[in-house]
Amino acid sequence: MSAGWRRGLGRFASDRASALGLALLVVLILAAIFAPILAPFPGDVADFHTANRLRPPDTVNWLGTDRMGSDLFSRILFGARITITIAVVAVGAAVVIGVPIGLLAGYYGGWPSNFLMRVSDVFLAVPQIVLAIAIAQTLGPSIENVILALSITYWPFWARLVFAETRSLKNEVFIESAIALGASPLRVMTLHVLPNIASAIIVRTSIGMGGTILTAAALGFLGLGAPPPTPEWGRMIAESREFLPEAWWYATVPGVAIFVVVMGFNLLGDGLRDFLDPRIRRGARAK
Amino acid sequence: MTLLAVEDLSLGFATEAGFASVLDRVSLSIERGQVLGLVGESGCGKTTLARAILGVLPRETARITGGRVLFGGTDLLTAHPASVNQTIRGRAITFVPQDPFTSFNPVFTVGDQIMEILKWKSPRAAAPTGRGWLPAVVARYPSERKRADMDAVLELLDTVQLPRPQQMLRKYPHELSGGQRQRLMIAMALLPGPDLVIADEPTTALDVTIQAQILGLIRRLASERNVAVLLTTHDLGAAYEICDAVNVMYAGQDVESAPVDRFFASPAHPYTTKLLASLPDANGTASGIPGEVPGLITPPGGCRFHPRCERADGPCREVRPPVDQLGGGHWVRCYHPHGDAR
Amino acid sequence: MRRIEMILSRLVWFVPTMAGLVIIVFLISNVIPTDPVKVLLGENATPAQIEAMRVKLGYDQPLWVQLARHFHDIVSGNLGISIYSQRPISEDLAKRLPATLELTLTAIILSVALGIPLGVISALKRNSLLDHILRVISVSGLAIAAFWLALLLQFFFAMKLGVAPLNSRIDGFGPTPVTGLMIIDSMLDWDMESLHSALSHIALPALTLALPAAATIVRFTRAGVLDVINSNHVLYQRAMGLPPGLIVWKYVLRNALISTVTQIGLIFGVLVTNAVIVETVFDWPGIGTFAVQSILQSDHKAIIGFTIWIGALIVIVNLLVDITHSFIDPRGSR
């Protein structure tokens, strides 16, 4: 097994795509952390200078200015903080809700488990964005509410995944013997089941981050995210619409930013899947 | 008359660990109507040799480094690939695969798959010349020939002892037993009217009780139709049952060839004798061959069997022994053969 | 027989799933700080007016009574009156559904037509330059925000090149409605002008929806083909000298498509999700724009009605996918 892991690790490191994904994310997170230092005009998150409005990119405003004359580069850097916060907190909450539900339902079975899985099926039957829009709208536009809306609509993904994995693991000999040896259900779940399904959860989480960022941006685009002047990327794109086609940079800059982050998470997720996928690892172990 | 002659064929595969030399100057020849057994342990290169003759080596990793595959005077390795595909593969040379379970496409009925072969490879169809103007997917199957082909299929299914062939053709592969599938495979190999059938371990995936029937069937049909068969097998018993002659391979090299009675009566190569001795005797005891099959990334020089051979000496490690004709169609590649009674 | 059992069991689950959906959406839309009655009557309404309207709309009843009435209404096919349009919601949705169906179906057809051949070629020419380019495009296609892609396409094709209209569904009155799908209706009318107008209007929104879907299909088809191409039955057919094109486009593709078809159900979910946004950007008069408008106006009944219709649509599509699957895979592996 350790040989399989080592081979997987080598494959992960040598895979240029996943390395690129990781690099993109590291750069982005650093940019978000050091936004106040890196931004040429950190005050432009809230300040405006209408005399400078809609300037194309130049040496002063590297990525141009928006309709209020604020520096787009600075706003993008601060926007990264919002985007990353939303993705991490919303997905984190969905994992915290979904994983225990899936674990309990998969371990115990019976009607409560069926009920829980049916509830998650119902959530999965409707496009996430529809429920998220409904929730975000009823709660009122704010970052906290976007996060809440996303967590409520995303937990079923993890519940389903963990449920299926736990179900199939429960029949494995090592789980059965742990139960036969008198290990408590809690112990079996946390020490035997969870470590074996962790890789599947990690992969799903990394790919889920990308999807969450896209949904959050869509909510922002519809005006359901943080209120202005918050530099939320989706809202910035919505604002830029009326200035097309003249102010091309205005719509381009936040769009590229979203693209780069989502790409980073997707590439990382793909790499992690090749590296951690239980089926691949099982195959390597069998040889 | 020689039908197929493999001459000094060398090839290998690019692997992560380096280039694996899987065939090292292998030669072999089959007469018209002859059943030749290609015998050796798993991994000795017999399946690779069969695939090299068929021209279906993995394109990305396999590299042929020398030799010729002469069929009816044409070198299949250098001939125009499309014309080999149209006129030889599936017509003059057909194939019975190792695993009848996975060699049928699971989502088409066996009838569809048999008729597909005949649509392109029927003996009643003129050999196509060059490329048609239509893509192959939408090519027409003339209805008159289709009817004649269908009659031939039904007749042959009866010959290979498949009852109620009409119903059988409508079934999907997973609805048939292993023995039924392999009988169908044999029928498919014979329907195009080939000169040579390459049967790659045709019975290893089957029940022991069915193995003998399938082997008997191959032998009988080959004799009746004067079709040559190249049978790869690791089962010496099977070779004894149905072959006219036997070729032995070890670690990618051919070591000995003889008519079947001479082969079992007076084996010459030390590997062959050990292989025969390793068969369980009447008491049910079997003796293995000491040592291990060598790796093919850095194979032993000279005769690749020398690390396991108590007769080996200097030359064995340096230069591969040449073909030594022992008479009566029996030859060996060894400096110190057994029963050296010429 | 197994197929019928499968379809029946799906149909049996359809009812509780839809009921659960109604409850969840109902609860979500009721646990809210905004009061729809206040929104409806505006800032200047007197408390008496608000109270009267509340009673009229049934908001004064306990939650469970509202829910029971709601169920009764839905079962009898009545989703209520849209607060704003003052028309029955089912009528609004029914009128708008063809536009959404036309858009999503066009996008699905486009993505399949692009995705499957490219996926096969990508697999056959594995590790070639073409394969690398296609893989980069397909990874990128999944990372682009749909509304941004919509803006990009509007920017280039409508604003810069002027080859496609910026938004809406058709110029003029359009063809006589028969199916409600403009492309088919204008063909039935033999009205080339409308057909051209309909096609040029649908091009950009359909492309916006199709690109990410095509990216997914390329990925799955490529993986499926690579899986099949090394199988024994392909080796057998190659060894028997069948034409290579035939082996790939008939036999390999058929096997590879089994997993792709399963994906199309998921892809449809993503498509509908994106359609809600894309319809808004392109002013496409479908149920997506209806939903966004209703949501922005706190029209609960309209939101619930929309959610039920979308949920039903997706469940039906998944059922169709399962049935298709059972036809192309005789092993009935499910």
Side-chain angles (χ1 to χ4, degrees):
Chain A
M1 174 158 167
S2 68
W5 273 83
R6 217 172 302 136
R7 203 178 312 157
L9 202 61
R11 205 164 45 219
F12 183 68
S14 64
D15 179 8
R16 274 170 295 173
S18 40
L20 175 68
L22 193 62
L24 285 177
L25 291 179
V26 168
V27 168
L28 194 92
I29 290 168
L30 289 178
I33 293 173
F34 297 108
I37 302 167
L38 292 170
F41 303 97
D44 276 11
V45 171
D47 299 351
F48 52 89
H49 331 272
T50 39
N52 289 340
R53 77 195 290 261
L54 301 178
R55 286 258 176 95
D58 57 26
T59 48
V60 182
N61 304 109
W62 296 346
L63 299 178
T65 65
D66 67 3
R67 60 175 180 172
M68 307 302 276
S70 310
D71 179 46
L72 271 176
F73 180 58
S74 306
R75 286 177 65 82
I76 287 292
L77 286 181
F78 280 93
R81 298 183 140 193
I82 299 170
T83 299
I84 291 175
T85 310
I86 291 178
V88 170
V89 179
V91 172
V95 170
V96 168
I97 302 169
V99 169
I101 289 182
L103 207 51
L104 288 169
Y107 188 84
Y108 285 110
W111 73 263
S113 137
N114 269 332
F115 175 75
L116 280 173
M117 286 306 111
R118 279 297 139 191
V119 171
S120 65
D121 277 356
V122 170
F123 272 94
L124 295 175
V126 186
Q128 258 54 55
I129 194 141
V130 175
L131 280 181
I133 289 173
I135 298 171
Q137 161 63 18
T138 52
L139 297 176
S142 78
I143 294 178
E144 292 78 14
N145 291 342
V146 167
I147 292 174
L148 193 59
L150 292 177
S151 324
I152 294 175
T153 51
Y154 267 115
W155 69 267
F157 281 101
W158 282 270
R160 264 264 155 236
L161 174 79
V162 171
F163 172 76
E165 297 271 326
T166 308
R167 259 294 172 75
S168 63
L169 262 184
K170 241 204 116 179
N171 299 323
E172 298 266 334
V173 177
F174 73 100
I175 298 290
E176 280 177 351
S177 55
I179 297 170
L181 287 171
S184 72
L186 184 69
R187 199 182 155 80
V188 174
M189 276 187 262
T190 51
L191 290 182
H192 297 279
V193 177
L194 205 52
N196 278 286
I197 59 177
S199 53
I201 298 174
I202 292 170
V203 170
R204 187 73 193 76
T205 301
S206 178
I207 293 173
M209 290 276 191
T212 311
I213 290 171
L214 286 178
T215 312
L219 291 177
F221 180 77
L222 293 174
L224 295 171
T230 319
E232 200 277 319
W233 294 345
R235 172 178 289 281
M236 288 165 78
I237 293 178
E239 290 168 357
S240 75
R241 272 183 81 184
E242 54 180 304
F243 303 105
L244 279 176
E246 289 75 27
W248 55 268
W249 63 91
Y250 193 174
T252 308
V253 169
V256 169
I258 296 172
F259 173 73
V260 168
V261 192
V262 178
M263 187 82 158
F265 277 114
N266 285 356
L267 290 177
L268 183 68
D270 279 1
L272 284 173
R273 173 164 41 205
D274 293 347
F275 163 48
L276 292 173
D277 189 305
R279 266 163 304 168
I280 294 173
R281 214 172 64 226
R282 225 167 273 155
R285 208 188 304 163
K287 268 170 204 165
Chain B
M1 181 191 159
T2 303
L3 181 66
L4 173 84
V6 176
E7 292 177 356
D8 289 327
L9 184 65
S10 297
L11 67 85
F13 296 110
T15 70
E16 277 174 37
F19 186 77
S21 158
V22 178
L23 294 183
D24 178 27
R25 289 159 290 167
V26 173
S27 297
L28 166 155
S29 74
I30 302 180
E31 308 296 309
R32 204 167 267 281
Q34 185 187 29
V35 178
L36 177 69
L38 187 58
V39 172
E41 294 161 281
S42 305
C44 72
K46 52 191 192 298
T47 293
T48 303
L49 178 56
R51 289 188 183 177
I53 297 168
L54 289 162
V56 290
L57 294 166
R59 260 164 273 182
E60 282 168 11
T61 51
R63 211 170 70 239
I64 294 172
T65 50
R68 300 197 292 175
V69 177
L70 295 172
F71 181 78
T74 332
D75 182 0
L76 299 184
L77 299 180
T78 55
H80 193 266
S83 86
V84 173
N85 211 38
Q86 284 175 348
T87 58
I88 296 180
R89 211 170 288 139
R91 279 175 179 266
I93 304 180
T94 60
F95 178 49
V96 176
Q98 188 168 49
D99 185 358
F101 290 86
T102 56
S103 294
F104 276 110
N105 189 318
V107 300
F108 290 85
T109 63
V110 292
D112 283 347
Q113 296 182 60
I114 294 180
M115 291 316 281
E116 188 76 79
I117 298 284
L118 279 178
K119 178 176 173 183
W120 300 94
K121 304 295 177 185
S122 163
R124 282 160 291 281
T129 47
R131 262 182 94 92
W133 60 274
L134 269 178
V137 180
V138 289
R140 217 169 61 84
Y141 193 168
S143 56
E144 214 166 289
R145 177 158 70 80
K146 188 172 183 176
R147 235 170 289 126
D149 287 343
M150 183 52 105
D151 291 343
V153 170
L154 294 176
E155 194 192 321
L156 192 58
L157 291 194
D158 197 50
T159 315
V160 297
Q161 295 146 15
L162 282 169
R164 289 191 294 176
Q166 293 274 18
Q167 277 113 305
M168 180 148 294
L169 291 179
R170 278 195 293 273
K171 290 190 173 174
Y172 286 96
H174 69 273
E175 297 170 316
L176 303 176
S177 73
Q180 286 173 324
R181 275 182 275 210
Q182 198 59 302
R183 284 169 203 272
L184 283 171
M185 282 292 174
I186 291 167
M188 284 159 88
L190 293 173
L191 279 165
D195 296 321
L196 171 65
V197 173
I198 294 180
D200 184 18
E201 306 241 18
T203 58
T204 30
L206 299 178
D207 239 307
V208 186
T209 49
I210 303 167
Q211 288 183 359
Q213 297 173 16
I214 294 290
L215 288 172
L217 190 66
I218 292 176
R219 172 79 242 190
R220 180 164 67 81
L221 293 175
S223 310
E224 279 173 15
R225 291 161 188 250
N226 195 29
V227 175
V229 177
L230 176 65
L231 174 87
T232 75
T233 180
H234 61 261
D235 179 0
L236 286 168
Y240 182 75
E241 294 285 332
I242 71 164
C243 293
D244 299 320
V246 176
N247 258 39
V248 184
M249 286 185 69
Y250 178 79
Q253 293 179 332
D254 48 337
V255 297
E256 182 167 7
S257 173
V260 72
D261 15 333
R262 283 201 61 149
F263 178 81
F264 285 94
S266 52
H269 198 281
Y271 173 64
T272 314
T273 56
K274 286 199 157 67
L275 199 62
L276 288 171
S278 74
L279 289 175
D281 57 22
N283 308 323
T285 51
S287 64
I289 305 174
E292 281 179 15
V293 179
L296 297 177
I297 307 280
T298 48
C303 174
R304 287 183 178 177
F305 188 62
H306 79 250
R308 297 168 81 180
C309 180
E310 63 260 24
R311 298 182 165 218
D313 57 14
C316 296
R317 296 181 182 90
E318 304 295 327
V319 183
R320 192 173 168 211
V323 170
D324 184 1
Q325 293 290 353
L326 304 178
H330 188 180
W331 58 254
V332 67
R333 278 172 172 267
C334 185
Y335 295 118
H336 314 288
H338 284 274
D340 209 349
R342 263 166 296 175
Chain C
M1 286 311 101
R2 179 182 269 157
R3 186 174 299 145
I4 294 167
E5 260 170 50
M6 189 268 297
I7 294 169
L8 281 180
S9 77
R10 292 298 152 99
L11 287 178
V12 166
W13 273 116
F14 182 77
V15 175
T17 304
M18 293 314 296
L21 188 61
V22 171
I23 295 172
I24 288 172
V25 178
F26 181 82
L27 290 180
I28 287 172
S29 64
N30 272 278
V31 187
I32 40 156
T34 46
D35 185 336
V37 179
K38 271 187 199 150
V39 174
L40 178 68
L41 294 177
E43 300 276 314
N44 302 326
T46 65
Q49 282 174 317
I50 292 176
E51 202 44 46
M53 190 56 122
R54 200 182 288 281
V55 173
K56 187 184 164 203
L57 295 177
Y59 284 115
D60 58 328
Q61 306 279 334
L63 206 57
W64 68 269
V65 176
Q66 290 187 37
L67 182 61
R69 266 182 37 182
H70 190 63
F71 264 118
H72 176 261
D73 286 349
I74 288 167
V75 172
S76 55
N78 171 18
L79 293 174
I81 307 287
S82 162
I83 292 181
Y84 278 85
S85 73
Q86 293 296 331
R87 277 196 305 262
I89 291 165
S90 317
E91 223 171 79
D92 270 3
L93 286 169
K95 220 179 78 198
R96 286 165 164 269
L97 185 65
T100 298
L101 282 183
E102 182 170 35
L103 180 59
T104 45
L105 288 178
T106 309
I108 283 271
I109 292 169
L110 208 59
S111 58
V112 167
L114 278 174
I116 288 178
L118 289 178
V120 173
I121 291 168
S122 187
L124 291 181
K125 311 261 175 209
R126 186 164 37 148
N127 294 330
S128 68
L129 182 66
L130 183 71
D131 180 31
H132 287 304
I133 292 172
L134 280 172
R135 288 173 78 185
V136 169
I137 292 176
S138 66
V139 174
S140 314
L142 296 174
I144 290 186
F147 57 90
W148 188 57
L149 181 60
L151 285 186
L152 284 186
L153 293 180
Q154 277 186 334
F155 175 73
F156 279 110
F157 293 103
M159 296 173 180
K160 284 283 168 190
L161 301 176
V163 292
L166 190 60
N167 53 26
S168 86
R169 198 176 169 200
I170 198 157
D171 294 325
F173 294 105
T176 335
V178 180
T179 60
L181 309 178
M182 295 274 184
I183 296 175
I184 292 177
D185 284 350
S186 48
M187 282 197 250
L188 291 177
D189 266 11
W190 205 248
D191 180 352
M192 285 305 125
E193 207 171 309
S194 293
L195 180 63
H196 177 259
S197 177
L199 286 175
S200 63
H201 276 88
I202 208 171
L204 295 187
L207 206 57
T208 309
L209 290 177
L211 284 182
T216 313
I217 295 178
V218 167
R219 280 167 68 113
F220 277 97
T221 308
R222 180 180 186 275
V225 168
L226 285 180
D227 233 27
V228 179
I229 207 140
N230 291 318
S231 63
N232 279 341
H233 51 87
V234 172
L235 178 85
Y236 176 74
Q237 292 189 323
R238 282 174 56 211
M240 288 300 276
L242 289 185
L246 180 80
I247 298 176
V248 169
W249 295 103
K250 182 169 176 186
Y251 291 93
V252 173
L253 190 59
R254 176 75 172 267
N255 284 269
L257 281 188
I258 291 172
S259 61
T260 307
V261 165
T262 320
Q263 289 305 314
I264 286 181
L266 293 176
I267 290 169
F268 189 78
V270 177
L271 254 173
V272 171
T273 305
N274 286 340
V276 172
I277 305 289
V278 171
E279 283 186 5
T280 309
V281 177
F282 285 99
D283 245 334
W284 188 262
I287 60 175
T289 34
F290 176 80
V292 172
Q293 278 164 13
S294 309
I295 286 163
L296 297 180
Q297 295 163 343
S298 292
D299 192 343
H300 293 186
K301 287 190 169 160
I303 298 168
I304 294 173
F306 163 77
T307 314
I308 291 166
W309 278 52
I310 284 288
L313 188 64
I314 289 182
V315 173
I316 290 168
V317 166
N318 283 325
L319 182 64
L320 290 179
V321 166
D322 285 346
I323 293 171
T324 315
H325 190 281
S326 74
F327 274 104
I328 63 172
D329 188 355
R331 290 164 296 183
S333 54
R334 298 179 140 226

